mmCIF file of all heavy atoms in Angstrom:
data_model
loop_
_atom_site.group_PDB
_atom_site.id
_atom_site.type_symbol
_atom_site.label_atom_id
_atom_site.label_comp_id
_atom_site.label_asym_id
_atom_site.label_seq_id
_atom_site.Cartn_x
_atom_site.Cartn_y
_atom_site.Cartn_z
ATOM 1 N N ILE O 13 120.300 110.101 109.109
ATOM 2 C CA ILE O 13 120.651 110.934 107.951
ATOM 3 C C ILE O 13 119.387 111.436 107.263
ATOM 4 O O ILE O 13 119.303 112.592 106.835
ATOM 5 C CB ILE O 13 121.533 110.149 106.957
ATOM 6 C CG1 ILE O 13 122.906 109.868 107.568
ATOM 7 C CG2 ILE O 13 121.682 110.913 105.639
ATOM 8 C CD1 ILE O 13 123.791 108.986 106.711
ATOM 9 N N THR O 14 118.397 110.552 107.155
ATOM 10 C CA THR O 14 117.127 110.926 106.524
ATOM 11 C C THR O 14 116.448 112.052 107.297
ATOM 12 O O THR O 14 116.015 113.059 106.713
ATOM 13 C CB THR O 14 116.187 109.706 106.452
ATOM 14 O OG1 THR O 14 116.818 108.662 105.704
ATOM 15 C CG2 THR O 14 114.876 110.084 105.773
ATOM 16 N N ILE O 15 116.341 111.887 108.608
ATOM 17 C CA ILE O 15 115.702 112.924 109.440
ATOM 18 C C ILE O 15 116.488 114.228 109.371
ATOM 19 O O ILE O 15 115.905 115.319 109.245
ATOM 20 C CB ILE O 15 115.585 112.437 110.900
ATOM 21 C CG1 ILE O 15 114.627 111.243 110.976
ATOM 22 C CG2 ILE O 15 115.107 113.571 111.806
ATOM 23 C CD1 ILE O 15 114.560 110.588 112.343
ATOM 24 N N LEU O 16 117.819 114.132 109.426
ATOM 25 C CA LEU O 16 118.669 115.328 109.360
ATOM 26 C C LEU O 16 118.502 116.042 108.028
ATOM 27 O O LEU O 16 118.453 117.286 107.971
ATOM 28 C CB LEU O 16 120.136 114.930 109.566
ATOM 29 C CG LEU O 16 121.154 116.076 109.644
ATOM 30 C CD1 LEU O 16 120.834 116.987 110.824
ATOM 31 C CD2 LEU O 16 122.574 115.516 109.766
ATOM 32 N N ALA O 17 118.389 115.263 106.938
ATOM 33 C CA ALA O 17 118.194 115.858 105.613
ATOM 34 C C ALA O 17 116.881 116.628 105.550
ATOM 35 O O ALA O 17 116.818 117.725 104.969
ATOM 36 C CB ALA O 17 118.220 114.762 104.546
ATOM 37 N N TRP O 18 115.830 116.074 106.144
ATOM 38 C CA TRP O 18 114.546 116.778 106.184
ATOM 39 C C TRP O 18 114.651 118.070 106.989
ATOM 40 O O TRP O 18 114.134 119.111 106.580
ATOM 41 C CB TRP O 18 113.463 115.874 106.790
ATOM 42 C CG TRP O 18 112.829 114.922 105.826
ATOM 43 C CD1 TRP O 18 113.069 113.586 105.698
ATOM 44 C CD2 TRP O 18 111.841 115.236 104.830
ATOM 45 N NE1 TRP O 18 112.307 113.038 104.705
ATOM 46 C CE2 TRP O 18 111.532 114.026 104.152
ATOM 47 C CE3 TRP O 18 111.186 116.393 104.445
ATOM 48 C CZ2 TRP O 18 110.601 113.953 103.121
ATOM 49 C CZ3 TRP O 18 110.242 116.326 103.418
ATOM 50 C CH2 TRP O 18 109.967 115.129 102.770
ATOM 51 N N ILE O 19 115.328 118.004 108.142
ATOM 52 C CA ILE O 19 115.452 119.176 109.005
ATOM 53 C C ILE O 19 116.234 120.296 108.316
ATOM 54 O O ILE O 19 115.834 121.471 108.335
ATOM 55 C CB ILE O 19 116.144 118.794 110.335
ATOM 56 C CG1 ILE O 19 115.227 117.884 111.157
ATOM 57 C CG2 ILE O 19 116.500 120.048 111.139
ATOM 58 C CD1 ILE O 19 115.881 117.308 112.401
ATOM 59 N N ILE O 20 117.346 119.933 107.680
ATOM 60 C CA ILE O 20 118.191 120.932 107.014
ATOM 61 C C ILE O 20 117.469 121.575 105.831
ATOM 62 O O ILE O 20 117.562 122.788 105.596
ATOM 63 C CB ILE O 20 119.514 120.291 106.546
ATOM 64 C CG1 ILE O 20 120.360 119.891 107.759
ATOM 65 C CG2 ILE O 20 120.301 121.251 105.648
ATOM 66 C CD1 ILE O 20 121.615 119.122 107.413
ATOM 67 N N SER O 21 116.750 120.755 105.067
ATOM 68 C CA SER O 21 116.090 121.251 103.855
ATOM 69 C C SER O 21 114.745 121.924 104.147
ATOM 70 O O SER O 21 114.213 122.637 103.290
ATOM 71 C CB SER O 21 115.881 120.105 102.862
ATOM 72 O OG SER O 21 115.038 119.099 103.410
ATOM 73 N N TRP O 22 114.192 121.698 105.349
ATOM 74 C CA TRP O 22 112.852 122.163 105.690
ATOM 75 C C TRP O 22 112.593 123.633 105.342
ATOM 76 O O TRP O 22 111.588 123.954 104.688
ATOM 77 C CB TRP O 22 112.578 121.920 107.172
ATOM 78 C CG TRP O 22 111.167 122.225 107.582
ATOM 79 C CD1 TRP O 22 110.697 123.373 108.145
ATOM 80 C CD2 TRP O 22 110.030 121.372 107.422
ATOM 81 N NE1 TRP O 22 109.335 123.284 108.367
ATOM 82 C CE2 TRP O 22 108.906 122.067 107.939
ATOM 83 C CE3 TRP O 22 109.857 120.084 106.913
ATOM 84 C CZ2 TRP O 22 107.634 121.509 107.958
ATOM 85 C CZ3 TRP O 22 108.593 119.532 106.930
ATOM 86 C CH2 TRP O 22 107.500 120.241 107.439
ATOM 87 N N PRO O 23 113.461 124.573 105.736
ATOM 88 C CA PRO O 23 113.183 125.991 105.451
ATOM 89 C C PRO O 23 113.162 126.317 103.958
ATOM 90 O O PRO O 23 112.601 127.341 103.544
ATOM 91 C CB PRO O 23 114.330 126.737 106.150
ATOM 92 C CG PRO O 23 114.886 125.760 107.130
ATOM 93 C CD PRO O 23 114.706 124.420 106.504
ATOM 94 N N HIS O 24 113.768 125.457 103.151
ATOM 95 C CA HIS O 24 113.898 125.725 101.713
ATOM 96 C C HIS O 24 112.861 124.986 100.865
ATOM 97 O O HIS O 24 112.811 125.165 99.648
ATOM 98 C CB HIS O 24 115.307 125.330 101.239
ATOM 99 C CG HIS O 24 116.407 125.917 102.074
ATOM 100 N ND1 HIS O 24 116.731 127.256 102.043
ATOM 101 C CD2 HIS O 24 117.227 125.332 102.988
ATOM 102 C CE1 HIS O 24 117.725 127.487 102.890
ATOM 103 N NE2 HIS O 24 118.046 126.343 103.476
ATOM 104 N N LEU O 25 112.054 124.166 101.521
ATOM 105 C CA LEU O 25 111.025 123.424 100.797
ATOM 106 C C LEU O 25 109.755 124.255 100.681
ATOM 107 O O LEU O 25 109.405 125.012 101.595
ATOM 108 C CB LEU O 25 110.694 122.111 101.528
ATOM 109 C CG LEU O 25 111.791 121.051 101.593
ATOM 110 C CD1 LEU O 25 111.364 119.916 102.518
ATOM 111 C CD2 LEU O 25 112.106 120.501 100.204
#
Side-chain angles (χ1 to χ4, degrees):
I13 292 174
T14 301
I15 294 174
L16 185 61
W18 276 103
I19 292 173
I20 293 174
S21 62
W22 187 263
H24 309 288
L25 294 172

